[in-house]
Structure formats: C-alpha cells, structure tokens
Amino acid sequence: MMIESRCGILCSSCGYKEEMGCKGCVHIDKPFWGDGCPVKTCCETREHEHCGQCGDFPCELLKQFAYDEAQGDGGRRIEQCRCWNQGR
C-alpha cells in the first residue's frame, strides 16, 4: 500500500502532479500552491502517515478541505484515508 498524501488525495490521479512537478505532500516540505498546508502540518505534527490514523478523524479541518466548493472532492479523500487505515 502506498500512501500518496496526508489528506487522502490520490496524487497519482491529480492533474497538477505532472503540470506543476509536484511529488505529493509526503515527499515535499511545502505545496506548490502556497507556503504550507494546514492539513499536512497537522498530520505531520501528530506523527501520522495520513489523517485516517488520527483519533480526531475526520476533523473539521479535513472536512473543510474535502467539501470546499472550489477545491473539494465531495469527501472522497476522507474515504481514501479510511481505506488506507484499513490497509486497502
């Protein structure tokens, strides 16, 4: 099983991966789109591989990202974290 992101985004199917040369948040210090990602920072501070390992999962911060009107994915990333947490 390969963890592609902290929040559950499947980087392998993201259009920005190739376009922006993004290696995914597990392999970079900061995202291409800004100075930092609060979800990545939170997850790494708690020493989790991904958000699904957190006792607060799914937290309000992750829900905000997952259901954001402009950049959200309707909660698919939350479900992906659940799958990773179950070893799928």
Side-chain angles (χ1 to χ4, degrees), residues 6-8 36-44 51 59 61-62 65:
R6 302 295 183 213
C7 70
C37 173
V39 174
K40 173 182 170 52
T41 300
C42 178
C43 192
E44 291 175 355
C51 291
C59 69
L61 178 61
L62 182 59
F65 271 67

Side-chain angles (χ1 to χ4, degrees), residues 15-48:
Y16 292 113
K17 182 176 175 135
E18 194 171 309
E19 180 183 331
M20 301 303 289
C22 181
K23 296 176 181 142
C25 69
V26 297
H27 303 291
I28 59 175
D29 291 327
K30 66 179 192 169
F32 66 87
W33 48 263
D35 287 333
C37 173
V39 174
K40 173 182 170 52
T41 300
C42 178
C43 192
E44 291 175 355
T45 299
R46 293 173 182 232
E47 298 182 350
H48 297 308

